[in-house]
């Protein structure tokens, strides 16, 4: 398993390693620069050159001498009352001391370098310090010249490797871009798109994207949720804060933005999207455009499963209002100018997105122009997606199969859009309903409804709307049932795989026990053989010295010793049961029996035989119904040694029946009650407070209508009592079953 994971990791990262395959990392140049320059402090080191080291050492000694001299002079001035406190400073790049103007005579040959703003203090260079300052200036200039020479040499070395450095930089940028894509995909929980292969005959425009979210809206939502979760409680630990962040983000992602499905058939060339205002037509079209651009850029998509879409060579869009007073463009002329540019650039592998085609002018002329544009694009484009409020454009599908309709859903119950796309359907604008939900004057809306009925003489419009709504309601029900069935199927398959793994593990343990028993039998056989050989050897030794009268008694003594050994190692008479006894055997509730179909393994009867002679037995965590002739009782000797769990099983069954009387239908809804690692909560080894906290968290977030196996163990019983108290008073617990003989240390809770 570890080798397989390592192979998968190498396979994933091998393309990135290929980028750096022919790169020269210039380690010698890096070492040379690191030897001369401290890259953290950004200073040239003394070891860069011998001259620099000598200059800096000489400069250090000169500064020490100068500092010692100035301290001595400043102390003398202070003692003479020439300054309030000793002052050593730098003026005009030369070291000097401060002295009051009235005490300049204390430095008769000193040089005044500067005066304070008030004129009360002079900054003077003592005569003895002139030579030291001159030396400091010369050494400083020499140091700067030497540093410049060193930097020039390093710059020349870098210039020689310019092409190698640029090549390496380009490769590093590619790798950085790959990691940026990966980080973005992880942040948005994206999936890898599949780009359909193109044939030379025709362009494959089929698109199948399930549950995609608008990338920009999702990004802003994630940033808002992340900021809110990080600022909600800064005093919490990192683990609690990260768990809270993941929970809040998952909740926010499910609410906003609303995921949509985009499904376009292979032969479709034009898709006309209709629907209400603020219903999500433009946002859905933008989502398709962004998904195409992200796929071309190598980005994952915030969708489900494996989204499939073609490679568009150009993505041309006319979205938004391009009105411009400076360019003398109205809303309509702005749209038309953009469409003209699109028609000049379009190809058979292009994606064209046009929002509100033909709007901004007379409706009849707008419909005619829009129809002509779509028919022109139909023969010259890979795929065109347009939004409109013109119902006549939806009729193009009836005349040409290369047209397809789609509609954004609108709920008449809430008078709000659901932001879902219904492919193959046509939608109403629902302008009056939207105006009513916003709070428009009711009288104006009623008058508008009368005008609509007058403008639409066909009286079938209302019936069409009702039929459409009923079909949509039925569709929602069927989709809900399909999702429930798919979820149940997934749970059953997961449960099946877990039980299959556990069954394989039981088979391995059974083989191990069988080998162990075989070894034990072989050991007993060898031991019996050694005992018999000892008796025979003793008989032969005694036979040599025995008289004729003693031979018979010696033979009888040896035979009885051998018979005793054989009897000691003989299996019990009740070990095997005849077929007649098996056929007449009737198992009792709670009795342990051998099941032939399970490899003669030991199981417990949990239901007595019925009319069909079938018996329900429990083997480990599995319950199996077998025929009565497929079981046999355990030997009497083992039955005496084994504890009979029947009284406890009967009591547990009575408690279960009394606690669930009249609720058989309710129990059926919980599904199969088989304990697995996914539906178990292990509290063993925890203190009472920690166990209570973990159980409260599990009950709060556990899935509804499900079963939770709480493993509290045996121990002192304190944790068990606390678990039972919580389950007894928790509002989400419908009922609970205490531990059973087949499941010691575990309580089963049924979540509402």
């Amino acid at each position: 398993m570890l080798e397989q994971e390592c192979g998968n990791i190498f396979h994933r990262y091998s393309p990135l390693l290929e980028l750096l395959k022919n790169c020269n990392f210039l380690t010698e140049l890096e070492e040379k620069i690191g030897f001369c320059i401290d890259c953290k402090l950004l200073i040239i080191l003394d070891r860069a050159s011998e001259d620099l080291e000598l200059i800096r050492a000489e400069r250090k000694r000169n500064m020490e001498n100068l500092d010692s001299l100035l301290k001595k002079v400043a102390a003398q001035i202070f003692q003479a009352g020439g300054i309030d406190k000793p002052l050593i400073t730098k003026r005009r790049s030369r070291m000097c001391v401060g002295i009051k103007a009235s005490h300049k005579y204390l430095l008769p040959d000193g040089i005044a370098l500067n005066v304070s703003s008030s004129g009360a203090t002079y900054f003077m260079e003592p005569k003895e310090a002139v030579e030291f300052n001159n030396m400091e200036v010369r050494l400083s200039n020499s140091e700067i010249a030497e540093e410049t020479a060193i930097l020039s040499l390093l710059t020349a070395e870098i210039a020689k490797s310019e092409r190698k450095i640029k090549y390496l930089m380009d490769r590093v940028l590619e790798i950085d871009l790959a990691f940026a894509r990966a980080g973005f995909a992880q942040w948005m929980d994206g999936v890898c798109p599949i780009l359909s292969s193109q044939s030379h005959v025709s362009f494959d425009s089929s698109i199948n994207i399930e549950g995609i979210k608008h990338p920009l809206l999702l990004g802003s939502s994630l940033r808002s949720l992340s900021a809110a979760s990080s600022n909600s409680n800064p005093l919490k630990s990192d683990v609690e804060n990260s768990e809270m962040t993941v929970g809040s983000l998952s909740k926010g992602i499910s609410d906003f933005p609303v995921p949509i499905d985009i499904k376009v058939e292979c032969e479709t060339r034009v898709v006309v999207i209709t629907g209400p205002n603020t219903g999500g037509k433009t946002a859905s079209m933008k989502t398709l455009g962004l998904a195409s651009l992200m796929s071309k850029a190598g980005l994952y998509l915030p969708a489900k499963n494996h989204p499939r879409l073609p490679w568009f060579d150009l993505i041309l869009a006319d979205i938004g209002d391009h009105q411009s007073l400076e360019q003398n463009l109205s809303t309509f002329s702005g749209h038309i100018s953009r469409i003209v540019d699109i028609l000049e650039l379009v190809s058979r592998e292009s994606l064209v997105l046009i929002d509100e085609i033909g709007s901004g002018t007379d409706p009849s002329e707008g419909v005619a122009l829009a129809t002509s544009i779509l028919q022109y694009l139909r023969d010259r484009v890979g795929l065109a997606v347009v939004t409109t409020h013109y119902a006549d454009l939806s009729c193009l599908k009836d005349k040409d199969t290369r047209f397809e309709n789609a509609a954004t859903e609108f709920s008449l119950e809430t008078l709000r859009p659901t932001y879902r796309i219904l492919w193959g359907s046509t939608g109403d604008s629902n302008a009056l309903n939207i105006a009513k939900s916003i709070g428009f004057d009711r009288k104006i809306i009623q008058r508008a409804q009368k005008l609509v009925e007058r403008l639409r003489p066909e009286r079938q419009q209302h019936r069409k709307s009702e039929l459409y709504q009923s079909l949509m309601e039925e569709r929602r029900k069927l989709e809900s049932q399909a999702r429930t069935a798919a979820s149940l199927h997934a749970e059953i398959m997961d449960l099946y795989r877990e039980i299959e793994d556990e069954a394989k593990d039981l088979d391995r343990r059974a083989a191990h026990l069988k080998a162990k028993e075989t070894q034990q039998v072989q050991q007993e056989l060898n031991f019996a053989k050694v005992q018999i050989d000892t008796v025979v050897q003793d008989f032969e030794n005694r036979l040599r010295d025995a008289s004729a009268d003693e031979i018979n008694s010696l033979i009888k003594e040896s035979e009885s010793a051998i018979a005793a050994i054989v009897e000691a190692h003989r299996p019990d008479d009740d070990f095997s049961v005849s077929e007649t006894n098996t056929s007449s055997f009737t198992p009792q509730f709670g009795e342990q029996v051998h099941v032939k179909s399970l490899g003669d393994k030991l199981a417990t009867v949990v239901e007595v035989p019925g009319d069909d002679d079938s018996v329900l037995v429990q083997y480990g965590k599995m319950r199996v119904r077998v025929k009565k002739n497929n079981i046999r009782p355990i030997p009497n000797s083992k039955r005496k040694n084994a504890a009979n769990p029947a009284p406890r099983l009967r009591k547990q069954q009575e408690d279960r029946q009394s606690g669930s009387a009249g609720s058989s239908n309710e129990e059926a809804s919980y599904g199969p009650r088989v304990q697995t690692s996914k539906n178990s909560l292990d509290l063993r080894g925890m203190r009472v407070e920690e166990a209570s906290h973990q159980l409260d968290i599990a009950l709060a977030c556990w899935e509804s209508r499900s079963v939770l196996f709480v493993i509290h163990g045996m121990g002192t019983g304190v944790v068990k009592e606390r678990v039972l108290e919580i389950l007894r008073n928790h509002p989400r617990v419908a009922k609970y079953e205490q531990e059973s003989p087949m499941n010691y240390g575990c309580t089963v809770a049924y979540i509402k």
Side-chain angles (χ1 to χ4, degrees), residues 580-687:
T580 56
N581 293 337
T582 303
S583 60
S584 61
F585 170 64
T586 301
Q588 302 298 322
F589 179 80
E591 185 177 359
Q592 291 185 330
V593 295
H594 289 283
V595 182
K596 299 178 182 178
S597 59
L598 295 178
D600 212 32
K601 294 182 174 61
L602 198 64
T604 302
V605 178
V606 295
E607 185 181 300
V608 296
D611 298 336
D612 55 350
D613 284 341
S614 63
V615 184
L616 183 64
V617 298
Q618 181 167 342
Y619 171 60
K621 298 178 182 178
M622 298 184 297
R623 289 192 176 189
V624 184
R625 187 173 293 278
V626 296
K627 290 294 185 180
K628 178 181 173 182
N629 56 8
N630 200 21
I631 63 175
R632 65 179 181 84
I634 62 176
N636 292 334
S637 58
K638 293 186 179 180
R639 192 178 304 176
K640 294 177 183 179
N641 297 330
N644 186 10
R648 289 192 295 270
L649 279 173
R650 289 194 186 95
K651 182 178 183 302
Q652 184 68 25
Q653 189 178 41
E654 291 173 0
D655 294 340
R656 189 183 301 113
Q657 291 175 354
S658 62
S660 60
S663 61
S664 59
N665 294 332
E666 181 180 353
E667 288 184 3
S669 63
Y670 286 98
R673 293 187 288 275
V674 180
Q675 182 180 359
T676 64
S677 59
K678 292 184 178 180
N679 61 4
S680 300
L681 176 64
D682 195 349
L683 304 178
R684 290 174 294 184
M686 299 183 184
R687 295 184 178 274

Side-chain angles (χ1 to χ4, degrees), residues 126-139:
K127 179 182 178 181
E128 297 83 358
V130 172
E131 185 60 32
F132 289 112
N133 274 323
N134 292 339
M135 179 64 72
E136 170 63 20
V137 172
R138 287 194 300 270
L139 292 175

Side-chain angles (χ1 to χ4, degrees), residues 343-551:
L343 297 180
E344 291 178 354
L345 299 173
V346 73
S347 68
R348 291 189 177 274
E349 296 182 1
S350 300
L351 172 64
V352 176
L353 307 173
I354 302 177
D355 187 27
E356 300 293 348
I357 186 171
S359 62
T361 186
D362 179 79
S364 58
E365 294 183 357
V367 170
L369 180 61
T371 302
S372 179
I373 293 173
L374 296 182
Q375 291 176 345
Y376 178 86
L377 291 174
R378 171 193 59 190
D379 302 320
R380 295 170 175 82
V381 74
L383 178 64
V385 180
V386 300
T387 65
T388 183
H389 287 284
Y390 297 145
D392 294 339
L393 297 182
S394 301
C395 300
L396 295 174
K397 178 184 177 182
D398 300 335
K399 302 176 183 178
D400 194 336
T401 57
R402 287 176 291 180
F403 286 84
E404 182 60 87
N405 294 331
T408 52
E409 189 179 32
F410 185 84
S411 175
L412 293 179
E413 298 176 356
T414 61
L415 297 180
R416 291 181 179 275
T418 62
Y419 304 107
R420 295 177 56 202
I421 297 182
L422 305 177
W423 293 92
S425 303
T426 57
D428 296 331
S429 295
N430 289 288
L432 299 182
N433 291 323
I434 294 176
K436 183 178 179 181
S437 65
I438 294 176
F440 214 76
D441 189 283
R442 184 175 299 178
K443 294 182 180 179
I444 297 177
I445 293 177
Q446 292 176 353
R447 188 178 297 111
Q449 289 176 343
K450 293 179 181 179
L451 292 174
V452 168
E453 293 177 358
R454 191 180 306 168
L455 293 173
R456 294 179 181 175
E458 62 279 8
R459 298 296 182 180
Q460 302 298 326
Q461 188 65 28
H462 183 65
R463 295 182 58 189
K464 285 184 179 180
S465 178
E466 290 183 349
L467 179 61
Y468 174 78
Q469 292 299 324
S470 64
L471 290 175
M472 289 302 101
E473 183 66 26
E474 187 66 23
R475 177 176 180 172
R476 282 191 290 270
K477 291 181 180 179
L478 292 176
E479 289 177 350
S480 176
Q481 294 175 359
R483 286 192 296 269
T484 303
S487 175
L488 183 60
H489 178 265
E491 292 180 1
I492 293 175
M493 291 305 299
D494 292 341
L495 187 62
Y496 169 76
R497 283 189 286 269
E498 289 189 21
I499 294 176
E500 187 179 23
D501 294 339
E502 293 182 2
K504 292 179 180 178
D505 184 62
L506 289 175
D507 292 337
R508 286 193 295 269
R509 286 191 291 175
H512 176 72
L513 290 175
K514 186 175 181 180
K516 187 175 180 180
E517 291 177 357
T518 303
Q519 183 180 5
Q520 185 177 358
V521 170
Q522 186 65 36
Q523 291 176 353
E524 291 185 2
L525 181 62
N526 295 335
F527 181 68
K529 184 177 180 182
V530 169
Q531 288 180 318
I532 293 175
D533 290 342
T534 303
V535 172
V536 172
Q537 186 67 31
D538 182 62
F539 172 75
E540 291 177 352
N541 294 334
R542 294 172 63 184
L543 185 63
R544 295 190 189 99
D545 302 331
S547 61
D549 299 333
E550 296 176 345
I551 291 177

Side-chain angles (χ1 to χ4, degrees), residues 211-445:
I212 187 171
K213 301 177 181 180
H214 194 292
L216 299 181
L217 297 179
L218 178 59
S220 62
S221 176
L222 287 174
R223 283 188 290 271
S224 301
L225 289 170
S226 179
S229 61
S230 61
N231 296 331
S232 60
N233 194 346
L235 298 179
K236 284 190 175 182
S237 63
D238 294 339
V239 177
E240 293 177 348
N241 198 19
S242 62
E243 292 177 352
M244 179 186 64
T245 301
V246 172
S248 61
L249 287 179
S250 62
K251 182 179 184 299
I253 291 173
S254 63
D255 296 337
F256 179 82
V258 177
I260 62 172
D261 298 336
I262 303 177
K263 300 182 183 296
V264 180
E265 298 297 333
C266 177
E267 301 300 328
T268 302
R269 290 293 176 265
V270 179
V271 177
V272 179
I273 303 178
T274 56
N277 296 291
T278 69
K281 299 189 301 296
T282 305
S284 302
M285 187 170 60
K286 288 181 178 179
T287 302
L288 174 59
L290 289 173
S292 302
L293 289 172
M294 291 172 66
S295 301
K296 294 184 67 175
L299 297 176
Y300 279 29
L301 303 182
K304 298 178 181 178
N305 300 331
H306 301 287
R308 185 181 184 89
L309 68 164
W311 176 279
F312 295 107
D313 59 353
L314 292 174
I315 300 174
L316 309 170
D318 172 34
I319 301 174
D321 190 353
H322 305 287
Q323 184 186 64
S324 175
L325 297 178
E326 293 84 358
Q327 301 179 14
N328 195 22
L329 290 176
S330 65
T331 300
F332 177 74
S333 57
H335 278 295
I336 293 301
S337 62
R338 293 293 297 270
I339 293 176
V340 169
D341 296 336
I342 290 175
L343 297 180
E344 291 178 354
L345 299 173
V346 73
S347 68
R348 291 189 177 274
E349 296 182 1
S350 300
L351 172 64
V352 176
L353 307 173
I354 302 177
D355 187 27
E356 300 293 348
I357 186 171
S359 62
T361 186
D362 179 79
S364 58
E365 294 183 357
V367 170
L369 180 61
T371 302
S372 179
I373 293 173
L374 296 182
Q375 291 176 345
Y376 178 86
L377 291 174
R378 171 193 59 190
D379 302 320
R380 295 170 175 82
V381 74
L383 178 64
V385 180
V386 300
T387 65
T388 183
H389 287 284
Y390 297 145
D392 294 339
L393 297 182
S394 301
C395 300
L396 295 174
K397 178 184 177 182
D398 300 335
K399 302 176 183 178
D400 194 336
T401 57
R402 287 176 291 180
F403 286 84
E404 182 60 87
N405 294 331
T408 52
E409 189 179 32
F410 185 84
S411 175
L412 293 179
E413 298 176 356
T414 61
L415 297 180
R416 291 181 179 275
T418 62
Y419 304 107
R420 295 177 56 202
I421 297 182
L422 305 177
W423 293 92
S425 303
T426 57
D428 296 331
S429 295
N430 289 288
L432 299 182
N433 291 323
I434 294 176
K436 183 178 179 181
S437 65
I438 294 176
F440 214 76
D441 189 283
R442 184 175 299 178
K443 294 182 180 179
I444 297 177
I445 293 177

Side-chain angles (χ1 to χ4, degrees), residues 160-172:
K160 292 179 182 178
S161 306
E162 179 183 3
R163 295 182 60 184
K164 297 178 181 179
I165 293 175
K166 287 184 177 180
Y167 181 80
L168 178 61
M169 191 65 182
D170 292 338
R171 302 288 82 78
V172 171

Side-chain angles (χ1 to χ4, degrees), residues 50-67:
E50 294 181 0
D51 294 341
L52 181 62
E53 187 174 6
L54 293 175
I55 291 171
R56 287 181 174 176
E58 183 65 25
R59 186 180 178 188
K60 181 179 179 182
R61 287 193 297 269
N62 182 70
M63 284 298 298
E64 289 176 352
N65 295 332
L66 179 60
D67 186 63

